[in-house]
Amino acid sequence: MAARLASVGFEVMLGSRSKYRAMEVRDRIVQRWPDKGLLLEAGDNHEASGVADVVIIATPWDAAASTASDCAAEMEGKVVISMANALAKVGHEFQPLVPPRGSVAASVQAAVPRSLVSASFHHVPAKELGDLAHPVESDVLVCSDHSEATQVTLEIVSKIPDLRGVDAGEL
């Protein structure tokens, strides 16, 4: 997601529990796409969520709410996009799970009640998003209980060629 957003002109600040881990990921992305001039910075989660205008949580589903909760103060009043799907791999397929609040994004919203959470990009394959050599063509569902979060998320989607944002209603 970071590579795709940076490739269309967004300034991206990668976060992780460890700023050194975020720096390693940033370096790998920049090395993979040296000709793209990607605007990527890196820091720990608190630093990244503190400086960001919009925060995207791209963790495994079972870490999304706790990651948000840990940075709730830095995310207050901001749009927070949750990308996670609650899935379990069983054999060669993925099976959906139902988190306690019905969705990962609803759990994130409960963890950061003073933020404007949307659920989006969770049906766009990460591998395709990260491959800047190929366009990604997809509808992108956007769900939120906040019209501002829906609008901001739809605007981000619209900046990525061949992605079409769809307002899919509430969380």
Side-chain angles (χ1 to χ4, degrees):
M1 189 65 186
R4 186 65 63 170
L5 289 173
S7 76
V8 295
F10 286 99
E11 293 181 35
V12 177
M13 175 73 144
L14 288 163
S16 180
R17 287 175 298 199
S18 162
K19 78 174 186 177
Y20 301 107
R21 171 78 174 123
M23 292 166 68
E24 289 171 6
V25 171
R26 178 208 52 210
D27 292 348
R28 276 200 311 269
I29 293 170
V30 170
Q31 288 170 1
R32 182 171 181 200
W33 308 105
D35 59 327
K36 299 287 186 186
L38 302 176
L39 297 172
L40 291 170
E41 296 294 328
D44 68 29
N45 285 338
H46 292 280
E47 182 182 3
S49 59
V51 300
D53 294 328
V54 175
V55 176
I56 298 176
I57 298 178
T59 64
W61 76 271
D62 54 352
S66 62
T67 298
S69 179
D70 190 46
C71 297
E74 292 87 355
M75 293 184 202
E76 187 172 327
K78 296 181 181 183
V79 171
V80 176
I81 301 171
S82 172
M83 291 182 61
N85 282 317
L87 298 172
K89 190 167 185 177
V90 178
H92 296 292
E93 62 183 41
F94 288 97
Q95 294 184 357
L97 303 173
V98 180
R101 295 188 178 270
S103 73
V104 175
S107 297
V108 170
Q109 182 64 79
V112 289
R114 294 191 168 134
S115 297
L116 310 174
V117 174
S118 71
S120 191
F121 295 104
H122 47 292
H123 293 106
V124 183
K127 185 175 180 180
E128 290 182 23
L129 279 172
D131 186 357
L132 302 181
H134 297 95
V136 178
E137 185 174 345
S138 181
D139 291 331
V140 179
L141 304 177
V142 177
C143 301
S144 182
D145 296 339
H146 307 281
S147 59
E148 181 181 347
T150 299
Q151 279 308 119
V152 167
T153 305
L154 288 169
E155 288 173 23
I156 291 169
V157 172
S158 75
K159 303 285 186 201
I160 302 172
D162 299 318
L163 292 185
R164 296 166 301 280
V166 177
D167 182 344
E170 299 176 351
L171 290 178

